[in-house]
Amino acid sequence: MRIFFTGVGGQGTLLATRFVGEAALEEGLAVLMSEIHGMAQRGGVVESSVVIGNGLSPTIADGEADIVVAFEPLEAARALPKCNPKSIVITGITPILPFTVTIGQSAYPDRDSLFGMIRPLVSKLLEVDADGIAKSSDAQRSSNVVMIGVLAGTGLLPISRGSWERALKKLLPENLIDQNLRAFESGFKAGFETA
Amino acid sequence: MHELLVAPTDKPLFLLGNEAIVRGAAEAGVRFVAAYPGTPSSEIIDRFSQLGPEAGIYVEYSVNEKVSMEVACAAAVSGVRSLCAMKHVGLNVAADAFMTLAYVGVKAGMVIVVADDPLLHSSQNEQDSRSYAKMAGIPMLEPATPEEAYRMTLEAFTISEKFGTPCMLRTTTRVNHCRGPVSVGPIARHEKKPGTFVKDPFNLVVIPAVGRKLRLAQIERVKKLQAESEKSAINFTSGKGLLGIITSGVSWLHAQEAVRGLEIESSVRILKLAFTNPCPKALVREFLATVEKVLVVEETEPFLEEAVRIVAQEAKLPVEIAGKGDGLIPRAFELDAVKVKSAISNFFDVPFERPDGIPAPELPQRPPNLCPGCPHRATYYSVKKVFGNEAIYPTDIGCYTLGVLPPLKAADFLICMGSGVSTAGGFSTVLDRPVVAFIGDSTFFHAGIPGLINAVAHGHKILLVILDNGTTAMTGHQPHPGVELTPAGKVEPRVSLEKLVRGCGVQRVAVVNPLQVKKTQEVLTDFKEKMDESGVSVLISKSPCPLYETRMLKKKKKVVFQVGEEPCKPCGRDCLTVLGCPAFSVEASGEGGERVRIDEALCSGCSVCSQICDSIKPKKLP
Ligand code: SF4
Ligand code: SF4
């Protein structure tokens, strides 16, 4: 199982990826996670991956992602080369305008046409209002955890509820656990309903 | 207790390759660690710096990689286990120390971690540092996963101590920044005792006569190391069949996945090498004798491939060898399982259907950018206002390198750390144009000082702008000798940048706060007029990195800036087209009109834009 994550610096992509990795480990699965640090953090694209299974390479070649989790719509489209017709794409719906757009060098594509372009190319596209769900669960800053909740809720990964929760508790400081559990829970429900 | 010092349980830890190295070294009883940060190696020194006091390990952020290697080797020569870590290009800086330390050797284990960066994720080149180990004749281990990084760090200390030579642990980004399960062992209570130094100048002071003797000893040592690599358990074969693959590091994982994916496990034998210098020739020879064809799978240079070809030639083996030479395995950039599958399919003649690729759509780019409120942006803005596009802007390595992007476009030349100031001297000599060089404070300490002294000594007509944000921001805000902000509050810097610059003989020195735009431009204009005279001018543009300042002083944002209600004036839009703070965006207003908006959440309150445009006003936050 190969899961590719993509987002924009500041969206909590790496923490979310690590959450998936820790949960897989809690479940006793063979797991490797790969992340790219450095320049990417200054508002650029942040990409990471989790591969679950023995003897796999930690990176995901073009066309080899089983699941893509995109925290931003434009980045979902940019990740298309990682997909194949069987891939499942879970994407956030709130655009973050790249700087090239804000200074008027290029235009941000219409979101519906972005999704319209992705949908026929993959087996399933899940659009998740992660910010909205986070807000209504009183966990504004946990949109990234909502997204992972959705991933967990779809049941695509062989990871039990208990492992997810243990991983989250392990990762976060005491004072952030409750709100993130709420965010995870709401995401999980949303993911479960689509499955 | 630091999470990397926990006692082992039956559950593995989920560690970054870099963290696995830290844990391995802690278990091995390392007592002295030094490094200059550099992606992808930085977390090694960062984690050590967090746990050092608790674990009884001396940890320093050295001024550069050469210094880090030198301080660490002194510890190891005094019988104290030491480690230094650097990115690949850091080894270039340390190479002088490295090459002769390989002659002199060490008394206690010394591990030199060198992190290569294939695909240049955050580097200026993708050099393959393995050649350095060969050139220096020191042992080298190449882990493939965090688990291996942990085990091989322990192994590297043992080898180093056994043979009295530093041992290189060579990683790549995909090992350093890969996270995986690591089953750790206990951290023994190592007694903290002072080092011991036995005076022995005729083995430790490398005058030519000593160097000659040590050179012969080094050659003998390489032979012994070779015997060690032959029997090392970290080199191993798996599978059986007449098709062979020789590989190392993360390429091993790509190769394994490829073999499995192509369903040829029953006909392929893999020789997985990790002790790759000196090359275990007998082991390779035995392997070559059992297969008909061999594909060498490795990233960047054909380091193993050449060694394998030599073995085949020496033993006159008829085996067919392929790799980079035939272009099957690409020489540039990272490998992945698909690239390896296609090489295997070609060379071993097995069918492979490439996954149906989806072509990359045309999308707006999302380049990284200086943060909102970054003082570098303000400096660049003012410098460009005063010096325009006529001036040549050699630059250096740090966050501020991002000034290369539009709209700032304040970078014309860069090769390595410290090159900004030295190349400025060269440019100013042969060009009849103003030359303004940029360098960050940390980079200045690292490699800028000799270049500045050189410019002063030769009367080069340059302006050097030191972008002093009080930290090593780019790699994660590590300290340097001029640090003033610490978790304990504001302190006197150990080394004052201004005194240092004056001490280098610079006559025209000024310190400005770039967030004061008018003042900064006045000083720059003054410098510009004086630049016709020969000699070096230095502007220290001093304002802390806001991210670092917030973290150190726990400062809360009190004010943000907003564009006034009435539609903005039709203007040249300096705010967007010259300054370009990422907090700005353009939005439609009125009929077909547009206005600039400032995102309150992004704005840091630096006030620079409000000094450029009257429509921009402060807004107090509760
Ligand atoms: S981290 Fe600091 S120095 Fe670097 S771009 Fe951001 S504000 Fe500027
Ligand atoms: S004050 Fe202006 S320049 Fe500074 S961060 Fe805010 S919007 Fe950007």
Side-chain angles (χ1 to χ4, degrees), chain B residues 38-41 65 85-91 114-115 117 122-124:
Chain B
T39 317
S41 73
E65 294 84 356
M86 61 203 69
K87 67 184 294 171
H88 58 334
V89 288
L91 183 54
V114 180
D117 188 20
S122 37
S123 305
Q124 62 269 43

Side-chain angles (χ1 to χ4, degrees), chain B residues 6 26 61 110 120-121 139 154 172 175 195 198 222 243 287 309-310 350 385 388 446 525 529 532 540 554 584 590:
Chain B
V6 294
Y61 284 102
M110 174 173 179
L120 307 92
H121 292 285
L154 282 158
T172 54
V175 178
V198 183
V222 172
L243 304 174
F287 183 81
R309 287 185 191 276
I310 290 172
V350 290
K385 275 277 157 195
H446 176 287
T525 311
E529 280 157 16
D532 295 336
I540 301 176
K554 312 255 174 321
F584 300 145

Side-chain angles (χ1 to χ4, degrees), chain A residues 24-47:
Chain A
L25 193 66
E26 283 290 332
E27 192 67 36
L29 303 168
V31 59
L32 283 180
M33 156 182 173
S34 182
E35 43 192 79
I36 288 301
H37 307 198
M39 280 287 205
Q41 285 164 333
R42 310 278 177 269
V45 183
V46 179
E47 296 175 339

Side-chain angles (χ1 to χ4, degrees), chain B residues 372-373 561 579 581 583-584 598 603-607 609:
Chain B
F561 285 76
L579 185 66
C581 171
F584 300 145
I598 292 176
C603 172
S604 81
C606 80
S607 88
C609 57

Side-chain angles (χ1 to χ4, degrees), chain A residues 53-75:
Chain A
N54 271 311
L56 291 177
S57 115
T59 54
I60 301 177
D62 281 355
E64 298 259 277
D66 297 300
I67 303 172
V68 166
V69 179
F71 295 83
E72 202 274 348
L74 184 61
E75 297 319 313

